[in-house]
Amino acid sequence: MAHTPPRKHSNAGVALNAPYLLWSLLFILAPLALVALYAFTDAAGHFSLSVFRGLFATQESRRMLSRVFSDSMRYALYATAICLVLAFPLAHFMAHTKASTQRMLMMLIMVPMWMNFLICTYSWRTILETHGLVNTLLEALRLPSLKLLNTPGAVILGMVYNYLPFMILPIYTVMARMDTSLVEAAQDLGASKLNVLRKITVPLSLPGVVSGVTMVFVPSVSTFYISQKLGGKGSLIGDLIELQFLGAYNYNLGAALSLILMAIILICMMVLKRFSDREEGAFIA
């Protein structure tokens, strides 16, 4: 006779999950539904695809969208790659050092995250501007000044600075929980440090890498404040969406652009997850 679990445990589980479900409904599903509603309706509130057709109606609009989306993707990919290159060795060092050093490094990583995002970004203007800290130092060394502000490099620098902790923390968390017996066994069998890193550490840390890439790429590709303050002009998809909602008050167009961006992000994440699953499967085999 099949055993039926007590109903009180089921009710307790529902009660524990209720706040999360309510949060998801209010702050995830409801906003998404509202965006979809605006994207697939016209100014009169009737169902229409005219907003999407208008985005691709003329060659000029198609060229503009292509440039904006390609710039956004390129900047986000550069920032994500730089964050990964910087974060992986630091996370590896943190996971294999003594506890006191780990706590100190964790504090140094977390402190910038406690500061206001807008202030952190705007402070880079005083460093990169014509008479900023960098150019003042170059003038003191009798070197020519550089144009650092209002450049693509400044935008990517702002992204890396603001989102680097979101790459370090998930990779470090995975590495800190990694089974060290696998590394010891590989070393006992004569594997070099490079082979241990390539065949054991990297495959086992892929869940943290995927999480970090997601947490950096998504806000980077949709950012607008960083590009406005460090890039000199709004030239990314986040700037265009922000302009439609807060400048032109064209909620339908802003929602349509948001859905297109969301679709691109989901496709990128699916490709990344498929790649990580294949790598993990190869490691297990």
Side-chain angles (χ1 to χ4, degrees):
M1 182 176 179
H3 175 69
T4 303
R7 181 175 295 274
K8 62 180 182 180
H9 292 294
S10 176
N11 294 336
V14 172
L16 290 174
N17 291 327
Y20 171 75
L21 295 175
L22 180 61
W23 178 276
S24 300
L25 178 63
L26 292 178
F27 297 104
I28 299 178
L29 297 181
L32 287 178
L34 191 60
V35 169
L37 177 64
Y38 275 109
F40 291 101
T41 55
D42 54 20
H46 302 129
F47 175 80
S48 174
L49 297 177
S50 58
V51 178
F52 291 96
R53 286 196 294 265
L55 286 173
F56 305 97
T58 64
Q59 184 177 0
E60 182 180 356
S61 62
R62 291 193 297 269
R63 187 183 301 112
M64 184 271 294
L65 283 177
S66 176
R67 178 185 58 80
V68 169
F69 274 100
S70 62
D71 286 347
S72 301
M73 293 290 293
R74 187 171 69 254
Y75 286 17
L77 289 174
Y78 286 161
T80 303
I82 294 172
C83 285
L84 180 58
V85 170
L86 295 176
F88 194 92
L90 178 57
H92 186 271
F93 172 77
M94 290 175 59
H96 295 86
T97 190
K98 57 185 181 180
S100 59
T101 304
Q102 290 187 32
R103 289 193 294 269
M104 181 191 68
L105 292 174
M106 183 63 67
M107 179 64 67
L108 293 176
I109 293 171
M110 294 296 294
V111 165
M113 299 177 66
W114 298 343
M115 300 167 60
N116 186 277
F117 173 84
L118 305 182
I119 295 176
C120 290
T121 303
Y122 197 82
S123 64
W124 275 102
R125 291 185 60 89
T126 63
I127 299 174
L128 302 177
E129 62 186 2
T130 305
H131 301 290
L133 181 62
V134 175
N135 280 323
T136 300
L137 179 60
L138 291 176
E139 291 177 2
L141 297 175
R142 298 291 190 269
L143 296 174
S145 60
L146 301 175
K147 179 176 174 52
L148 302 174
L149 195 62
N150 301 332
T151 61
V155 177
I156 295 172
L157 175 62
M159 293 178 180
V160 172
Y161 173 79
N162 283 289
Y163 304 133
L164 181 59
F166 298 104
M167 182 72 76
I168 296 174
L169 295 179
I171 298 177
Y172 162 73
T173 301
V174 171
M175 287 186 174
R177 299 176 180 176
M178 194 176 297
D179 187 0
T180 57
S181 63
L182 294 174
V183 177
E184 294 171 356
Q187 292 174 342
D188 291 340
L189 293 173
S192 64
K193 292 183 178 181
L194 181 60
N195 284 332
V196 170
L197 179 67
R198 183 169 59 89
K199 295 185 177 181
I200 296 179
T201 304
V202 171
L204 289 180
S205 62
L206 274 180
V209 171
V210 172
S211 178
V213 167
T214 303
M215 295 174 68
V216 172
F217 177 80
V218 172
S220 294
V221 77
S222 58
T223 188
F224 60 91
Y225 184 80
I226 295 176
S227 57
Q228 291 175 3
K229 297 304 178 184
L230 301 181
K233 57 180 180 179
S235 58
L236 303 183
I237 182 60
D239 301 304
L240 186 58
I241 294 174
E242 188 257 354
L243 175 64
Q244 301 307 316
F245 279 106
L246 302 180
Y249 298 103
N250 190 343
Y251 297 158
N252 303 94
L253 180 56
L257 291 171
S258 299
L259 281 185
I260 295 174
L261 177 61
M262 190 184 309
I264 293 175
I265 292 175
L266 289 176
I267 292 173
C268 293
M269 294 302 102
M270 289 173 60
V271 172
L272 182 62
K273 186 178 185 303
R274 187 176 183 85
F275 171 78
S276 64
D277 291 342
R278 185 171 66 249
E279 291 294 323
E280 290 179 5
F283 173 76
I284 294 174

